[in-house]
Amino acid sequence: MNGTTVMHIWQTAVNAPYSDWAPFGTGGTEVTAASNADGRIEVFGTSHAGTFHTWQTGFATWSGWIWLNNSAGPAVD
């Protein structure tokens, strides 16, 4: 991660090799991930514009990055 790009890597299947590094969103200053009660991963990231989050919608699909309305920064269109 740097000021412009967040990168990620993932395991392609159970007991399989990992993928190549790929962009996961715009840059920031902090990023963390946690599992929801149903096992899906949710990722939170911060930048000068505020706090954003994205979550798994399927095995290999994700929502768009959404601004958390109570954090500093502008709303995301």
Side-chain angles (χ1 to χ4, degrees), residues 35-72:
S35 294
N36 287 328
D38 62 5
R40 292 177 301 143
I41 299 169
E42 188 160 2
V43 178
F44 295 85
T46 61
S47 73
H48 69 282
T51 302
F52 297 81
H53 70 130
T54 184
W55 56 93
Q56 270 186 314
T57 58
F59 177 75
T61 57
W62 293 83
S63 70
W65 284 94
I66 305 296
W67 176 61
L68 294 175
N69 292 334
N70 293 330
S71 67

